[in-house]
Amino acid sequence: MPSVRGGFALWAGALALALAFLAVDSAHRLRSIGLLSTLRITDAPAPAADPMSPTGYEARQHRLVLPPAGTDGYHWIMQTERMLAGDGLRIRHSEVDNAPDGREVHWSSPLRWWLGGLALVRKATHPHLTHARALEQVAPAAGAMLLAALLLILTPLIARWFGAPAAAVFVLAWVGVFPLYEAFMVGIVDHHGMLAVCCFLGLVLPVRGGSGWLEDGRSPHRVRRWFAVAGVVSGVGLWISAAVMLPVIIATGVAGVLAAALTRPEAPGGAGPRRALMPDLWRVWGVAGAATAFTAWLVEYFPGDMGMRLEVNHPLYALAWIAGADLTSRLAGWLGESRTKAVPGAGGGGEDGPPGFRDFLRRHGRWVLPELGVLLAVPGIVLATGAATFGLADPFLRGLHHQFIAEFQTLPSHLTGASALHIVQGTGLLPLALLPLAALVLKASGSRAGMRVLGSAMVLAGLAFVHALAVPVAAGLVPGSRTLVHLAALAITAATFCLLFLLPYRRIVVSTAAPRPGPALVAGTILTVVPALVLLALSFAQVRWIGSAAAATLALLVTMAQGWAQASGNGRRAVTVLLIAMLVPFPLLTAAFPWRHGYAGPDDAPQLAVRDAAYTLRHHAGGRDAVVLSGPTTTSWLIWFGGFRGVGTLYWENVEGLRAAADLFRTESAEELRLRLRRLNVSYIVAPSWDPFAASFALPPGADSYILPLEFMTPVVAALRGTSLRLYEVRHEDPPRE
């Protein structure tokens, strides 16, 4: 009873701490959003409230200011406004960009449904609000509310499945590791948080089901249920973002094969429960996931938009999933049989020995080749059709994404020139990545030696944070390039790593007293470590995967908690204290820095200037349906604040608008520019000096006869010193009717 009570106190206390931090942090960020939304830096007229407008303000304008990193949230909110205004539960077309034709929309619906549901609840409790104003009030905190709900639901389940230490680390990681917390942070209205949760659950649920092994006393039906639920969750993740979830699904299938190949079954007669490999569980996982993904595709696209778009969830992925899962099952069964027959006394060891690859082909060859064909069909179609079915195959679009979208940059590029706080946030995954290795050594070697390794890992994690903080300072004090400074700091960290980690590890490995982990724990470690390593590697190539990498690494950490539960009471408590201590730096750092440094600071000044420019242009245009031309991010701001239509925005569905905007900005002939502007019905051009897409815009000779500068003074604030914001009106011979 005391241990049960102590376990409850551990995870319940951690949950209370996490929710308290989330509440305080969210309150400060909401206050910052409110101050920014009402802050006036020019005398531009703010939009008046209009209950008849779908946005809640006259001429489809907005007042809400989200952080620059949350620019995508403006489009999510505008699409949800259309849904609440009666355009249907599915939004498949956008009129606000790629003027005058608009563009397709392939963003998944769950986030819009969550936003819309919160808005309806808000309106039900405050009947005087319109749907749009209710949405405006709940949207900034929608992610934080979702995180709170998930923590309240999942933490007790994790405690029941994996133990109190795992639940404590689980709940604190979502607020203590910035790549996880950022996806739910107030002001970030996006789907990445949902995706990270799907990634985590899709990996830990098979582990809860025995990682493919059936122990005596467990129901096969119950084990299959765990794999089926894991497939459903992964299918939902594929629905939310196929680009991010596909590597997770592929890595999970590969891990299933490796787990069968590397897991050594226990010989009969040994101590403990008997275990048997169940390779058919992977078929259950694949069929459940494919059925979920196919159903989600029907929900999104049936019957009117059933085209071949492989950037998002598609039935071809569901078919490939079934084929891949069946191939995983066959390979796992064959390799598991080989491992079983190789163990003395395990029922094998006949004259023929373990089955060879020829035997595998003889038994499964008629299925393997067609399944490989289905798996290769997806990349084959992309290579054959290019951008027609996979937009990111377009070199122009891919280049723009890498240049202008932070999540498509490499991790070193993303951190180059960043502030100390942003570098610490960007490297906040490091402590989490180190924990599973320390936990694995702890389990395999015994608590005393393992504690030394865990302490060394903590020191290494602390060095990583110190290194992240020291680099910007050193770059300003030490002559030479930032690259040399990084290399020097990394060399020092690596040397310390060798001294503090590798030497103790060597002593641990040669220990003969280490208990042998069971096959379920080894297989579970493989099932989580392979996706974690794959996503960590992808995160260095593109930071878009860093949140999912953190979720996969957390799944590995929770998996290792099964080993901690076998430690002594004192050892378990000490391990838990150390693990929790590694997750403290980000909350402490957040509390130590002024809130504006983490969110509302100089980065917001350009957006506020563009907001006031949008209000000025809207006042000039009146109620006319005007089209604006600017850089992609600036265009999104002008659309949001001014109620305009734009040309180029940084979304793969809008490659035509991006190409048209790029052509307009590099046109050198006044007559050709006139024709292009007229064809797109552009009314205004906005050229901020801080926007690399539009900063170099200059009027061709003769264009001043129909492109006239508008009077607008760049706000006099410190963050905009030395910058300019130029506004132009385009006058056509036949202006559009009001």
Side-chain angles (χ1 to χ4, degrees), residues 25 29 140 143-144 178 180-189 586 598:
D25 183 67
R29 294 182 188 275
F178 186 73
L180 291 175
Y181 182 62
E182 183 186 26
F184 294 97
M185 195 168 61
V186 163
I188 304 299
V189 185
F586 169 67

Side-chain angles (χ1 to χ4, degrees), residues 655-675:
V655 62
E656 293 182 6
L658 285 168
R659 213 182 291 274
D663 290 341
L664 280 165
F665 279 120
R666 62 173 174 240
T667 300
E668 298 180 355
S669 167
E671 185 58 30
E672 182 182 356
L673 180 60
R674 179 200 291 269
L675 293 176

Side-chain angles (χ1 to χ4, degrees), residues 353-430:
F357 188 66
R358 286 187 178 181
D359 181 72
F360 171 77
L361 291 179
R362 179 177 57 81
R363 293 160 57 185
H364 304 287
R366 60 176 179 173
W367 293 100
V368 170
L369 292 180
E371 288 169 352
L372 288 175
V374 173
L375 292 175
L376 294 175
V378 176
I381 291 175
V382 172
L383 291 174
T385 60
T389 59
F390 192 76
L392 291 177
D394 188 323
F396 169 78
L397 184 63
R398 190 166 60 248
L400 286 180
H401 278 195
H402 284 283
Q403 184 176 358
F404 292 103
I405 301 181
E407 67 181 36
F408 284 89
Q409 297 175 352
T410 64
L411 184 60
S413 299
H414 182 65
L415 297 179
T416 299
S419 66
L421 177 60
H422 290 162
I423 292 179
V424 171
Q425 292 173 342
T427 56
L429 176 59
L430 291 177

Side-chain angles (χ1 to χ4, degrees), residues 630-710:
S630 189
T633 300
T634 305
T635 298
S636 290
W637 294 344
L638 292 167
I639 291 171
W640 171 257
F641 293 114
F644 298 111
R645 301 178 66 193
V647 180
T649 51
L650 275 177
Y651 304 108
W652 65 266
E653 302 103 319
N654 193 22
V655 62
E656 293 182 6
L658 285 168
R659 213 182 291 274
D663 290 341
L664 280 165
F665 279 120
R666 62 173 174 240
T667 300
E668 298 180 355
S669 167
E671 185 58 30
E672 182 182 356
L673 180 60
R674 179 200 291 269
L675 293 176
R676 291 179 183 272
L677 293 171
R678 183 178 179 82
R679 183 166 60 249
L680 299 179
N681 201 22
V682 173
S683 305
Y684 299 103
I685 300 175
V686 179
S689 62
W690 57 79
D691 189 327
F693 203 93
S696 60
F697 173 74
L699 294 180
D704 55 355
S705 61
Y706 61 91
I707 299 180
L708 305 179
L710 294 177

Side-chain angles (χ1 to χ4, degrees), residues 483-509:
T483 302
L484 294 178
V485 175
H486 274 287
L487 291 176
L490 286 173
I492 296 173
T493 304
T496 309
F497 173 80
C498 293
L499 291 174
L500 295 177
F501 188 80
L502 294 182
L503 293 180
Y505 179 74
R506 182 180 179 183
R507 295 186 61 184
I508 291 167
V509 170

Side-chain angles (χ1 to χ4, degrees), residues 264-266 275 339 443-445 513-519 521-522 566:
R264 183 181 180 89
E266 295 176 340
R275 301 174 177 89
R339 294 287 288 175
K443 165 59 186 171
S445 60
R516 180 182 297 277
L521 178 59
V522 174
Q566 301 174 11

Side-chain angles (χ1 to χ4, degrees), residues 582-600:
M582 292 190 68
L583 299 174
V584 167
F586 169 67
L588 290 182
L589 189 67
T590 304
F593 275 76
W595 298 100
R596 62 179 183 277
H597 288 181
Y599 168 33

